[in-house]
Amino acid sequence: MSPIRIGGIEKFSIVDFPNKMASVVFMQGCPWKCPFCHNVQLQDVNAETNIVWHKFIDFLNTRKGILDAVVFSGGEPLVQKGLIDAIKDVKALRFEVGLHTGGYRPEFFSEVIEFVDWVGFDIKAPLEEDRYKIVTGGVGDVEKVKESLNILIESGKSFECRTTCDPRFLDIEDLYKIADTLKGLGVKEYYLQKYRKVESDVNASEEKSLSLVENDELNQYLSDCFEVFDVRK
Ligand code: SF4
C-alpha cells in the first residue's frame, strides 16, 4: 500500500535542495490557506491523485548516481503520517532527504526531523499570532510554528529560513522584524523570495514585491544578520 498521497512529482530540480540534484515529491494536503499559494490544488488532502508511490521508487532505482536527493514538499508534508515510511524508503536507496515545511505540526515534526538531512522552513510573517493568522487564511497557529522552529534549531540539522515577500501582507518593517527574531534564535541562513502573482490578485503586487526584495538598505542589514543571505527572484 502507498504510504503517502502525492499530488505531483518533479523528477529533476536544482533549486529545491541546496547544491543537490533532487526529485521533488509534492504531497497532497495542507491545512493552511495562504492567499499567495501557487499550489491550491494540493490543499485538499482527499483530492484524487493518480501518482503511485512504488512507481516513483522504481524511478529512483533507475536514477542512482544521477540524483542526490529527494525533497518532500507540498502542500504541507507534515499533514501525512505516512511521511516517515516514505522517507525510510528513500533512505534505503541511499538518497538524501530534504523537507519543505511551514512547521504547522511540531509534535510530528519532532518525529520526522531525525530522518531528514536538510529543511527549507517558511517564515510567512513576523512571528505574532494575528499576523500569522492573516497570511495563512485564518488557520495558522504561530505558537506551533515557533515550536517547530525551535525543534529544527535544536536538531542541529542543516536548514534555511525563507520569506515570500507578498506586499499585500508584508512591508519593510515586517522584514526587519522577522530578521531580528531569526537572528536572535541563532538562524544562520535566510532568503527573501519575490512574490509571484496569483490569479485572485488584481493589483500590481508582483511589481511592488520587487521594492521589498531589492531594497539595498534592508539587504545590507540582512547580510549583516545572517551568515548566508540572498534574494530569490
Ligand atoms: S502552506 Fe504552502 S501549500 Fe499550504 S496554503 Fe500556504 S503556500 Fe499553499
Side-chain angles (χ1 to χ4, degrees):
M1 199 178 94
S2 180
I4 51 170
R5 307 193 71 243
I6 304 165
I9 298 271
E10 191 168 329
K11 287 184 174 170
F12 298 102
S13 167
I14 54 167
V15 296
D16 287 282
F17 191 139
N19 306 314
K20 305 281 180 196
M21 173 70 84
S23 275
V24 184
V25 178
F26 295 95
M27 292 182 60
Q28 197 64 41
C30 180
W32 291 355
K33 303 282 176 285
C34 308
F36 45 82
C37 183
H38 278 269
N39 292 325
V40 174
Q41 75 286 359
L42 294 175
Q43 289 176 359
D44 177 6
V45 73
N46 296 312
E48 281 294 312
T49 64
N50 56 11
I51 300 171
V52 181
W53 177 246
H54 75 77
K55 289 205 168 149
F56 177 64
I57 291 294
D58 291 346
F59 161 75
L60 285 182
N61 261 311
T62 68
R63 291 300 180 271
K64 286 182 179 171
I66 300 168
L67 282 172
D68 305 305
V70 173
V71 176
F72 291 87
S73 188
E76 167 53 73
L78 294 177
V79 166
Q80 296 193 49
K81 274 283 185 188
L83 176 63
I84 290 181
D85 283 344
I87 289 175
K88 284 178 178 170
D89 287 348
V90 169
K91 283 283 187 184
L93 297 176
R94 301 193 180 281
F95 292 103
E96 291 187 64
V97 169
L99 178 74
H100 293 172
T101 182
Y104 104 103
R105 198 180 187 191
E107 60 281 6
F108 186 43
F109 188 46
S110 65
E111 291 176 42
V112 170
I113 189 71
E114 71 169 285
F115 303 104
V116 172
D117 299 293
W118 173 85
V119 176
F121 195 98
D122 290 331
I123 301 291
K124 293 182 182 291
L127 292 169
E128 298 163 4
E129 190 183 341
D130 55 337
R131 302 301 305 280
Y132 243 78
K133 276 271 185 282
I134 291 169
V135 294
T136 57
V139 282
D141 180 344
V142 76
E143 292 308 319
K144 294 196 169 193
V145 174
K146 287 194 223 171
E147 209 180 313
S148 291
L149 187 53
N150 282 332
I151 288 166
L152 179 55
I153 292 165
E154 281 168 21
S155 74
K157 298 281 178 164
S158 174
F159 74 98
E160 68 175 37
C161 289
R162 65 276 186 100
T163 300
T164 298
C165 297
D166 184 339
R168 297 173 300 167
F169 303 99
L170 296 175
D171 61 22
I172 287 280
E173 291 313 313
D174 291 327
L175 298 174
Y176 279 107
K177 199 184 272 187
I178 291 170
D180 288 343
T181 303
L182 297 183
K183 184 185 173 193
L185 290 169
V187 171
K188 303 274 187 284
E189 197 167 333
Y190 182 59
Y191 296 86
L192 291 185
Q193 301 182 152
K194 180 174 162 276
Y195 156 79
R196 288 180 296 124
K197 190 178 181 308
V198 290
E199 218 170 296
S200 59
D201 175 10
V202 290
N203 300 313
S205 306
E206 189 163 339
E207 213 171 289
K208 287 180 200 150
S209 181
L210 275 178
S211 68
L212 294 176
V213 299
E214 290 182 342
N215 183 297
D216 289 343
E217 213 171 300
L218 173 67
N219 286 357
Q220 186 55 56
Y221 187 79
L222 296 175
S223 298
D224 293 341
C225 282
F226 302 103
E227 284 178 16
V228 180
F229 162 72
D230 212 341
V231 170
R232 294 176 178 147
K233 292 185 193 169

